[in-house]
Amino acid sequence: MNELVNATLPLAATADGLTEEQRAVVGHREGHARVAAVAGAGKTTTLVRRVLHLLANGENPRRILVLMFNRAARDDFRAKLVREAPADVVLPEVRTFHSIGHRLTQSLTRWGYLPPRQLLQADWQRERLLRQAVMQSLESADGETREAALDADRLEAFGQFCDLVKAEVVAPAELFERLGYTDSERHFIEAFDVAESLLDASASMTYADLLYRPLQCLERHAEARRRVEGFLGHVIVDEYQDINEAQLRLLRILAGHQAQVMAVGDANQCIYEWRGARPDAMLARFDGLFGQASEYPLSFTFRHGHALALAANHAIRNNRQRWDQLCLAAPGNPLTRLRTGVGAGALLATLQRWHADGRRSDEACVLVRSWSLSVSVQLQLLRAGVPFRLAQEERFVFRLPLVQALAGYLQLAREPQRLHDPGHLVLLFSQPTTFVAQERVRRLVEELARTQQWPAREASVLTGLKPGQRRHLKRRWQLLCELPKLSAWPPAKLLEHVVDAIDAEKVLRRSAARREKGDDDVRLLDMLIEQAGELANDPEAFIELLRNPVENRPDGVLISTVHGAKGLEWPLVAVWGLNEEDFPHYSRDNPLSPERLEEERRLYYVAITRARERLLLVQDGGDHRPSRFLDETAVEDCRRIDQAIQARSEAAVAVREPDMVGAYLQRVGLEHVGRGLVPRAREAETPAVERGAESGASWQVGDRVRHASFGDGEVLVVEGNEANPVIDVRFESAGRRRLIAARAPLTKRH
């Protein structure tokens, strides 16, 4: 951990409207500087004043460079700088790393160090490149392997792999092994080299090359490096914790030995490790690249109240790679109410109270760890008639091909005539994938729709298919023919049968380029089956719900991933899906390492610090274990301390972490509240959930059980604490399920 020196109460506003902490950053004199800014600390205001201070002290604007993380942040900073600057002052450049890379590429090309290349700007150009590279790298592979590799998701994963190789400036094979790609993606290593050859042959480059090519050139040619070094006197970098290896090394070259670098960020908000960011960039790596730096905290947030500030401090304190810095609520901030809840009822009740208070839906946001977790949110809001919108419109659950296919299976069970509809059959043969080319599938289903029989072995529509492909397709057809006979089954049972019959979980994991994507797709299946059980007393109504042509409502509640919410805030935030294996995200096949757990905890920290007035933390309940993050946040402690602050009470308050809470209260000038702090015993703080399994039950392999939703089954595995084990059960109609015995609605069959 890195320690920041925090003077007592550095919040008193000065004549220029800045706090003492902000003024210290603005007035920094000599050498490099590292600014640790908590969420909502007024970074933009501080850095604008820093630039104006440098100009007022005679710095040449051409020797000042401000680097922002993306174009939106750049444009926002430029606008504020123009508003605050005197009219006749020449302002320095405000750029993104990629725009700097583009300029360097042009210069190095003009000087003869790089051959000229055209940027591939259109999506179809990049897709064509990736497709060609994959096809050439798998030239000797069988057709099934090539078709699987050319799947849209797999192709996009390959594109991300190529970008990450260039962001990390690492050999493809090393990155492949480090990130745990599967053998089905091993062609990525060779395909990367093929893609590079194709780019070279066509004199083209990707956006990743805007940094990768000039960096490689400058590191290779000392003469070229001398032409760009030493130009700058000051470099200010925002969101420093999110920059990758290529950006770090390019920054080091640009700064040279003369420029003073001011890095501004928050290691607790480093959430783009999948794009090459590392929390140590803000910590140890800075010293290694630039040397010793002056440390400045921006500890006060202007976003939310004491309850949430305390919750944020509790939430992140278990991370080792972080600043030893408290997030403090500034005086005058809105009170922030914290609640925990279970299931859709908690979310809908919160939104109802919000509307009853005269507040708008578009002031509220529901955050999820991954898009699959939004399935239940979307269905529940739709069912309740609450308008909503998605940060990424294409993520409407109703538009996902897999969801449309599952609705199609249900529809076929009730409308047998759809066996004669080639369009409907194409959908059901395509999702989950059969690893057969789409054109082949189309020809086959046209034959099936016409004849209603599986073709003879020698039929032309089967020519060229491998035995495994034939078996897979035939099983899919047999399932479709069987479904009308099962029309009386409830949707959840029918979907479980479909998933089991086509081995959907295995197929989805196999077709996914990364373990995380496979886990996410399987979770999507689980979520839909759960919702079918909860919502579908009327099967037709559930099918109609899935096929609902929902559109974004500008006035609706926003649903976003936490990654998409970085840098944003809302009056009301609900964090959904706070279950173990969901948030933090892991699985048996993709377990948590200590490093990944810290990354997940940083993501959670970002999620909760988006709220201004109200924060709701929602766990699913039922068979889902509450996320460990709920316990770590110590919500009840935070609420009690907040109540004591509002009441100006000096009465005794029992808290889990009296030292940390006491330090917080001292920093914000509320020592009198801190005098009453006493330690309390640690008890898990989770939302109240109904106890499921019969009290005192013990579980053994071989036990016959009955589940309220999944029916009869047999215990296969018993793990963990004897008093509260995790059990694996194979259900006769619902397949294999992993359950928390104490919370699952289970009874033993004798």
Side-chain angles (χ1 to χ4, degrees):
M1 282 191 288
N2 289 62
E3 186 175 353
L4 293 166
V5 178
N6 292 312
T8 304
L9 279 180
L11 194 63
T14 57
D16 54 8
L18 300 176
T19 69
E20 290 294 341
E21 285 186 339
Q22 291 172 325
R23 284 198 78 195
V25 174
V26 170
H28 167 69
R29 292 182 180 274
E30 294 292 333
H32 304 302
R34 201 162 28 184
V35 181
V38 302
K43 287 188 303 160
T44 302
T45 297
T46 305
L47 296 185
V48 165
R49 298 291 182 88
R50 170 64 178 169
V51 171
L52 295 178
H53 173 81
L54 291 173
L55 295 174
N57 282 271
E59 291 291 339
N60 185 342
R62 292 173 58 90
R63 300 191 71 235
I64 301 173
L65 173 64
V66 182
L67 285 169
M68 310 302 290
F69 189 67
N70 54 39
R71 283 182 289 182
R74 177 199 63 190
D75 294 344
D76 181 56
F77 189 90
R78 277 178 176 169
K80 291 181 178 177
L81 185 60
V82 169
R83 281 199 304 270
E84 294 204 25
D88 58 343
V89 171
V90 178
L91 299 175
E93 288 193 317
V94 183
R95 289 187 167 272
T96 64
F97 272 100
H98 278 87
S99 70
I100 282 291
H102 188 258
R103 173 175 286 189
L104 282 171
T105 300
Q106 289 178 318
S107 296
L108 292 167
T109 301
R110 189 169 63 252
W111 298 336
Y113 294 104
L114 286 175
R117 290 192 178 185
Q118 290 293 317
L119 182 65
L120 299 180
Q121 300 189 54
D123 289 342
W124 67 266
Q125 292 175 307
R126 179 175 178 270
E127 183 181 346
R128 184 177 64 181
L129 168 74
L130 299 174
R131 186 175 293 274
Q132 288 176 334
V134 168
M135 289 175 66
Q136 289 188 31
S137 67
L138 293 174
E139 192 172 5
S140 60
D142 57 70
E144 182 180 353
T145 301
R146 286 197 301 273
E147 287 297 332
L150 293 173
D151 175 80
D153 287 342
R154 188 78 60 88
L155 209 59
E156 181 57 29
F158 170 57
Q160 292 172 356
F161 175 83
C162 293
D163 290 345
L164 195 53
V165 166
K166 296 178 179 182
E168 297 262 20
V169 199
V170 68
E174 181 183 336
L175 184 73
F176 184 92
E177 296 301 328
R178 180 175 10 121
L179 296 187
Y181 285 89
T182 63
D183 283 341
S184 59
E185 284 76 49
R186 191 162 293 278
H187 66 277
F188 283 8
I189 300 171
E190 182 181 346
F192 174 86
D193 293 330
V194 175
E196 289 298 281
S197 298
L198 291 170
L199 287 170
D200 187 45
S202 63
S204 304
M205 60 180 175
T206 66
Y207 276 104
D209 287 318
L210 291 175
L211 297 174
Y212 187 65
R213 292 184 73 228
L215 174 63
Q216 286 196 312
C217 177
L218 291 168
E219 290 187 338
R220 194 167 51 246
H221 297 289
E223 184 182 343
R225 193 162 59 250
R226 284 193 291 271
R227 296 184 71 164
V228 302
E229 286 180 329
F231 231 13
L232 297 170
H234 294 271
V235 183
I236 298 171
V237 189
D238 192 23
E239 301 291 357
Y240 192 89
Q241 78 280 347
D242 289 331
I243 66 178
N244 58 42
E245 180 68 18
Q247 292 167 332
L248 281 173
R249 285 158 60 168
L250 197 59
L251 176 63
R252 179 67 186 89
I253 291 172
L254 290 172
H257 299 290
Q258 297 180 356
Q260 299 177 29
V261 178
M262 176 175 281
V264 186
D266 182 3
N268 294 338
Q269 297 187 71
C270 180
I271 62 173
Y272 293 116
E273 293 197 60
W274 52 277
R275 291 199 309 216
R278 296 287 182 272
D280 65 352
M282 192 73 186
L283 303 171
R285 286 294 309 279
F286 187 95
D287 294 340
L289 285 170
F290 301 105
Q292 192 171 2
S294 299
E295 310 279 4
Y296 296 98
L298 292 178
S299 305
F300 281 88
T301 180
F302 300 92
R303 180 174 295 164
H304 47 69
H306 293 298
L308 182 46
L310 285 163
N313 292 320
H314 279 90
I316 203 64
R317 69 180 280 107
N318 286 327
N319 271 17
R320 294 173 60 86
Q321 291 197 72
R322 65 178 182 86
W323 297 107
D324 186 14
Q325 178 185 21
L326 292 174
C327 173
L328 310 170
N333 284 6
L335 295 176
T336 309
R337 301 178 188 174
L338 308 186
R339 292 182 179 273
T340 60
V342 179
L347 174 62
L348 294 173
T350 297
L351 290 173
Q352 188 177 22
R353 287 193 296 270
W354 187 251
H355 295 144
D357 292 341
R359 305 299 294 270
R360 304 190 315 272
S361 292
D362 61 2
E363 294 180 293
C365 178
V366 180
L367 295 178
V368 292
R369 168 62 179 82
S370 60
W371 279 115
S372 66
L373 297 176
S374 76
V375 170
S376 53
V377 181
Q378 294 184 53
L379 289 172
Q380 294 286 356
L381 293 183
L382 180 66
R383 186 168 178 248
V386 178
F388 63 92
R389 55 197 168 99
L390 269 64
Q392 292 180 242
E393 191 167 345
E394 72 275 10
R395 293 292 184 169
F396 273 109
V397 61
F398 321 99
R399 300 179 189 172
L400 297 178
L402 180 59
V403 175
Q404 288 291 303
L406 292 175
Y409 286 111
L410 295 175
Q411 206 167 10
L412 175 61
R414 285 153 177 86
E415 302 174 27
Q417 68 271 21
R418 290 188 175 270
L419 277 174
H420 299 270
D421 181 356
H424 197 79
L425 293 182
V426 165
L427 174 66
L428 305 191
F429 270 88
S430 301
Q431 293 289 336
T433 181
T434 54
F435 301 103
V436 177
Q438 198 68 2
E439 185 55 39
R440 281 182 172 274
V441 170
R442 190 173 301 278
R443 289 200 302 269
L444 174 62
V445 300
E446 287 174 352
E447 179 77 5
L448 293 172
R450 184 177 61 82
T451 66
Q452 294 295 289
Q453 293 184 354
W454 186 253
R457 183 187 298 268
E458 64 277 4
S460 61
V461 292
L462 300 180
T463 302
L465 291 173
K466 291 192 167 188
Q469 291 177 308
R470 292 190 181 203
R471 287 193 300 271
H472 200 158
L473 291 166
K474 188 175 182 178
R475 277 201 309 271
R476 188 73 59 94
W477 172 245
Q478 290 171 335
L479 169 67
L480 300 184
C481 293
E482 178 193 25
L483 287 179
K485 304 172 187 175
L486 310 177
S487 59
W489 285 15
K493 184 178 179 180
L494 195 60
L495 287 178
E496 283 279 7
H497 178 68
V498 168
V499 167
D500 186 57
I502 63 179
D503 207 1
E505 292 190 8
K506 182 179 178 181
V507 169
L508 289 171
R509 293 190 189 280
R510 181 188 167 196
S511 62
R514 298 280 301 278
R515 290 194 191 101
E516 291 84 353
K517 176 64 165 61
D519 291 343
D520 214 33
D521 288 342
V522 170
R523 181 65 172 126
L524 173 60
L525 282 181
D526 290 341
M527 294 292 293
L528 282 167
I529 293 168
E530 288 177 16
Q531 293 301 302
E534 289 183 25
L535 301 177
N537 295 325
D538 182 352
E540 278 71 28
F542 185 66
I543 295 169
E544 187 61 29
L545 195 63
L546 292 183
R547 290 199 169 278
N548 202 304
V550 180
E551 301 293 335
N552 263 343
R553 288 278 301 273
D555 60 341
V557 176
L558 178 66
I559 302 174
S560 173
T561 62
V562 182
H563 285 103
K566 178 80 181 301
L568 304 175
E569 60 184 53
W570 295 269
L572 167 62
V573 170
V575 185
W576 180 270
L578 286 170
N579 320 299
E580 283 293 302
E581 302 190 35
D582 290 331
F583 202 171
H585 177 67
Y586 64 95
S587 67
R588 181 181 296 179
D589 297 328
N590 186 25
L592 274 178
S593 64
E595 294 76 20
R596 280 195 55 231
L597 176 57
E598 293 214 356
E599 184 182 4
E600 292 289 310
R601 192 175 282 117
R602 288 193 295 272
L603 195 60
Y604 174 72
Y605 176 87
V606 169
I608 67 175
T609 55
R610 299 310 93 194
R612 292 203 301 266
E613 301 173 37
R614 298 187 195 180
L615 174 67
L616 174 67
L617 305 173
V618 189
Q619 188 256 332
D620 286 6
D623 300 337
H624 302 283
R625 290 177 293 162
S627 169
R628 69 191 73 189
F629 296 155
L630 286 167
D631 179 57
E632 292 177 358
T633 307
V635 169
E636 289 305 313
D637 282 8
C638 301
R639 291 171 62 174
R640 281 194 292 268
I641 292 297
D642 190 49
Q643 290 167 1
I645 291 172
Q646 305 314 316
R648 305 190 178 193
S649 171
E650 297 186 27
V653 181
V655 295
R656 233 191 248 175
E657 305 286 350
D659 290 343
M660 187 192 74
V661 174
Y664 177 95
L665 293 170
Q666 182 180 15
R667 289 291 321 283
V668 297
L670 296 168
E671 297 94 334
H672 60 285
V673 177
R675 294 189 192 109
L677 295 176
V678 296
R680 72 173 177 88
R682 185 179 185 90
E683 298 176 358
E685 293 187 14
T686 59
V689 297
E690 294 182 5
R691 187 171 181 83
E694 50 197 21
S695 180
S698 61
W699 304 95
Q700 296 180 347
V701 174
D703 283 346
R704 299 291 298 172
V705 298
R706 174 163 290 169
H707 189 281
S709 300
F710 303 143
D712 295 336
E714 180 183 350
V715 177
L716 302 180
V717 179
V718 180
E719 298 177 338
N721 188 325
E722 184 177 342
N724 184 23
V726 177
I727 60 176
D728 278 15
V729 183
R730 180 187 290 121
F731 292 101
E732 294 172 3
S733 61
R736 187 163 174 166
R737 294 277 167 172
R738 189 168 172 84
L739 308 170
I740 309 299
R743 298 193 179 97
L746 281 174
T747 55
K748 283 190 179 183
R749 295 182 62 199
H750 301 286

